[in-house]
Amino acid sequence: METLAEIIKFINFSFSYSGSTTPILKNINLSIEEGDFVLLVGPSGCGKSTLLRCINGLIPHLYNGAYEGEVIVDGELVKNKNVNELATKVGFVFQNPENQIFMFSVEKDIVFGLENIGLERNEIDIRLKWVLHALGIEHLRYKPPYELSDGQKQRVAIAGVLAMKPKILILDEPTSLLDPRTALDFILLLGELNKKFGLTIIVVEHRIDLLTNVANKIIVLDKGEIVFKGLLKEIIKNKNLNLYGVGVPPVIALQNNLRDEDIIFDEVYLNVKDFAKEIKRRLI
Amino acid sequence: MFWLAEGLVYRRQDSIIHSLDPRVKLIISFSLFILSLFSSTIFEFTILLFAIFLLGALSKVLRRMTKTITFSLTFVIMIFVINLLVGYDLIFSIIISLRFIAIISSSSIFFLTSSPDELDLVMRSLHLPYDLIFAFVTAVRFVPVILLDAVQIIDSQRSRGLEIEKGSIFKRIRNYIPVLIPLIVQSIIRSEELAEAMESRAYGFSKKRTSYYTLHFKRRDYLILCLHFMLVVLFILLVYFFHL
């Protein structure tokens, strides 16, 4: 029996795109709980994007291929549901925000998804105001997409998805087009959404250091298989992570090196500030 | 090159005409278009063109409208000369040329004063299938994006030594092949991403798609529409019944 808290479950899942003989995902067993903030990492071409597309049903409904095993989202088999039906449960934010904004204004774009699911005018109005406020983009409401910066576009893309009130938010390399400062702001926003609304979030991101403060779980994928999964704090100190092309944040690498020199810390410090405090405490 | 499009591209502006309900603008523009098709004397075209230019002046787009007409002048002259050469008399050739100008300028009134957004609303109010509306909206929405792609590709091909503006006219056309192919490929990839994003935003979820936006006629819209129809009827009466 599955518990209620388990919102995404992969059971002995494998997939290969049609025309390809090697499976892109092999024997995936995975469960993600409601409210988790999951960081999905791995080298390019390891199947991260494919894994994400299995959750919202783009696979198998838009892409053909050999589909084995089961993917269960919010208690329902993904292969029995259409992508547009799943859209109210799973929000998907793609890498390039430009290709996710269809309409001439921010407002119209947010409304687009809500009209698709056939909501009444009042309900659309309520959700529109809520999402503009939640993402801090009220001032962009009537702007056309070409007047927005990349960071703003990314927020609008999320707004359009969030307005559908999904339980799960998936983001495929959302900060790849953003400068470091905007990227950090954006990740903090995700952390806030996770805490405030209990949204389950799954993010593919190469800059792990951005996420160490907000994510609680991590999945490392390599050649289509899960090599590590579990709590971020546990996994991140594993020295083998480097083997899989995962860029361990310098502050963690430093702690690992110190451990080699027999300087042991009881805890793993995920950011420089906390680690500095600990060092100061020890030195004094 | 871009000034060509200027006569057809909407710019945000304020005027009496701009603020009308887009359906009213469409009706005005369309009825002038129809009248231009059926008019056949210099006197009729004088009135029609006067009305069209008056509308252009009221909506403050006269300058851009004349730009389109200046551009189309090459065609006008061609039409005029061909008609003369084929053996039609001078008056008839002038009328045909005037008709061409009237058709272009009357239809440009709508496009110059209505944003693509308003066009979207008009199509919704006509209950056209949403697939069609969506195709139109995204097409217009992605014009600047694809234009930007093209500029980038041209720049990158130039930096590899492609000389686009050199050689005979055929050579020049051939020079654009290395620009067009990556542009097409890039657009196909873009459209795939669009399709994914559309599906993920519940496109096609429900047969009964709701619309957050509805158009409402205001008193001013009714007034202008009445006035417009009165003038049209007057014009028809003058021309067809009193043979002026």
Side-chain angles (χ1 to χ4, degrees):
Chain A
M1 270 305 275
E2 51 186 328
T3 55
L4 263 178
E6 207 168 50
I7 197 157
I8 300 169
K9 200 171 168 71
F10 284 74
I11 307 165
N12 299 325
F13 181 78
S14 299
F15 182 77
S16 49
Y17 287 105
S18 61
S20 157
T21 46
T22 47
I24 180 103
L25 290 174
K26 275 174 278 183
N27 201 26
I28 304 283
N29 281 295
L30 180 67
S31 77
I32 292 170
E33 285 165 18
E34 203 163 355
D36 271 348
F37 194 130
V38 183
L39 175 59
L40 179 58
V41 290
S44 299
C46 70
K48 298 185 298 276
S49 295
T50 309
L51 187 76
L52 297 183
R53 279 162 175 75
C54 292
I55 300 173
N56 86 329
L58 283 170
I59 294 172
H61 298 295
L62 218 66
Y63 295 96
N64 298 325
Y67 190 93
E68 278 169 49
E70 303 293 0
V71 183
I72 301 165
V73 170
D74 201 22
E76 289 183 274
L77 283 174
V78 166
K79 65 180 174 194
N80 294 342
K81 286 265 168 189
N82 278 327
V83 188
N84 47 34
E85 288 174 299
L86 281 163
T88 51
K89 292 186 176 187
V90 187
F92 203 121
V93 178
F94 297 86
Q95 193 171 2
N96 189 349
E98 188 76 66
N99 297 342
Q100 299 167 66
I101 304 174
F102 312 114
M103 297 289 148
F104 300 119
S105 73
V106 170
E107 181 195 280
K108 275 198 142 183
D109 195 72
I110 295 171
V111 166
F112 169 77
L114 304 175
E115 289 177 332
N116 282 340
I117 53 175
L119 292 182
E120 292 300 321
R121 204 171 182 284
N122 282 345
E123 179 64 20
I124 293 180
D125 212 38
I126 292 166
R127 289 200 188 186
L128 178 65
K129 279 179 188 142
W130 168 74
V131 84
L132 286 170
H133 180 75
L135 297 184
I137 51 171
E138 283 121 326
H139 59 294
L140 304 176
R141 181 164 176 172
Y142 300 107
K143 286 217 171 184
Y146 51 82
E147 280 180 23
L148 304 177
S149 69
D150 285 335
Q152 289 172 333
K153 275 182 199 160
Q154 198 59 277
R155 274 173 193 249
V156 172
I158 289 209
V161 165
L162 207 60
M164 318 268 284
K165 299 222 166 154
K167 290 183 171 175
I168 304 158
L169 186 62
I170 295 175
L171 303 104
D172 194 355
E173 299 189 35
T175 67
S176 59
L177 297 169
L178 307 181
D179 63 79
R181 173 71 202 273
T182 321
L184 184 62
D185 284 349
F186 183 76
I187 295 296
L188 292 177
L189 171 79
L190 291 183
E192 218 182 285
L193 293 175
N194 173 249
K195 287 211 178 68
K196 241 188 193 166
F197 306 113
L199 207 61
T200 309
I201 295 182
I202 306 168
V203 185
V204 168
E205 179 60 64
H206 290 296
R207 293 185 265 186
I208 296 184
D209 51 326
L210 284 174
L211 278 141
T212 45
N213 286 321
V214 289
N216 68 334
K217 301 250 176 95
I218 185 168
I219 297 168
V220 183
L221 214 57
D222 185 52
K223 297 187 185 102
E225 286 175 286
I226 293 178
V227 282
F228 292 109
K229 62 179 173 185
L231 289 171
L232 182 74
K233 275 199 169 183
E234 302 286 316
I235 306 285
I236 199 112
K237 59 186 179 191
N238 193 318
K239 278 201 254 167
N240 292 330
L241 273 185
N242 276 327
L243 298 176
Y244 301 102
V246 177
V248 176
V251 65
I252 306 287
L254 178 61
Q255 288 169 66
N256 288 345
N257 282 335
L258 287 172
R259 207 182 317 135
D260 288 347
E261 305 288 334
D262 289 328
I263 303 172
I264 309 291
F265 295 91
D266 307 330
E267 227 185 294
V268 179
Y269 295 93
L270 294 173
N271 61 54
V272 180
K273 209 173 174 184
D274 293 346
F275 190 46
K277 266 187 200 156
E278 174 63 17
I279 290 174
K280 188 182 166 193
R281 197 184 62 81
R282 285 208 178 187
L283 288 178
I284 291 171
Chain B
M1 271 295 270
F2 293 118
W3 71 271
L4 290 184
E6 206 160 295
L8 286 171
V9 175
Y10 170 81
R11 285 243 187 89
R12 238 181 285 175
Q13 254 178 333
D14 266 329
S15 81
I16 321 166
I17 310 290
H18 278 80
S19 58
L20 286 176
D21 187 297
R23 286 170 296 179
V24 176
K25 290 184 268 190
L26 184 66
I27 291 169
I28 292 177
S29 206
F30 192 65
S31 55
L32 286 170
F33 176 85
I34 296 290
L35 286 178
S36 320
L37 283 182
F38 287 102
S39 292
S40 54
T41 64
I42 292 192
F43 173 70
E44 289 166 55
F45 279 114
T46 320
I47 297 182
L48 267 182
L49 283 171
F50 175 75
I52 291 168
F53 283 108
L54 189 69
L55 275 171
L58 280 175
S59 41
K60 300 177 190 164
V61 292
L62 201 57
R63 250 194 55 222
R64 288 193 290 138
M65 224 164 99
T66 36
K67 256 189 189 170
T68 333
I69 293 169
T70 340
F71 164 66
S72 62
L73 228 50
T74 348
F75 293 101
V76 174
I77 292 166
M78 259 165 59
I79 290 169
F80 180 73
V81 171
I82 289 170
N83 269 292
L84 273 184
L85 287 178
V86 172
Y88 288 111
D89 61 13
L90 186 68
I91 301 288
F92 186 79
S93 308
I94 290 175
I95 285 172
I96 296 281
S97 310
L98 283 176
R99 180 174 293 155
F100 187 73
I101 293 176
I103 285 172
I104 286 190
S105 48
S106 63
S107 44
S108 78
I109 285 182
F110 177 71
F111 291 105
L112 286 175
T113 58
S114 312
S115 63
D117 223 16
E118 285 178 297
L119 204 53
D120 170 21
L121 297 182
V122 169
M123 289 194 284
R124 285 189 198 202
S125 68
L126 295 174
H127 296 289
L128 293 180
Y130 192 73
D131 286 336
L132 191 78
I133 301 175
F134 186 77
F136 167 81
V137 169
T138 40
V140 179
R141 150 82 180 91
F142 281 95
V143 166
V145 177
I146 289 171
L147 209 63
L148 217 64
D149 280 352
V151 170
Q152 257 172 23
I153 292 168
I154 289 174
D155 282 349
S156 65
Q157 296 292 45
R158 268 193 185 138
S159 71
R160 294 168 193 202
L162 177 76
E163 289 172 317
I164 289 176
E165 265 122 41
K166 255 196 171 172
S168 65
I169 188 148
F170 293 108
K171 179 113 203 313
R172 280 188 204 191
I173 291 171
R174 219 172 40 222
N175 284 346
Y176 271 95
I177 293 175
V179 174
L180 279 179
I181 289 173
L183 189 63
I184 291 169
V185 171
Q186 210 165 322
S187 302
I188 290 172
I189 293 172
R190 196 181 281 287
S191 67
E192 272 173 0
E193 285 180 17
L194 264 173
E196 279 192 328
M198 279 162 63
E199 288 274 334
S200 311
R201 297 269 298 278
Y203 185 83
F205 172 87
S206 141
K207 287 269 174 289
K208 277 190 194 146
R209 192 178 190 278
T210 47
S211 183
Y212 180 63
Y213 303 94
T214 39
L215 287 170
H216 293 290
F217 274 131
K218 293 190 206 82
R219 187 181 295 163
R220 189 178 42 189
D221 296 310
Y222 283 115
L223 276 173
I224 298 270
L225 209 56
C226 278
L227 185 70
H228 173 71
F229 277 124
M230 273 158 56
L231 288 171
V232 168
V233 169
L234 189 70
F235 176 78
I236 294 173
L237 283 177
L238 275 176
V239 170
Y240 293 97
F241 293 97
F242 300 104
H243 300 290
L244 274 175

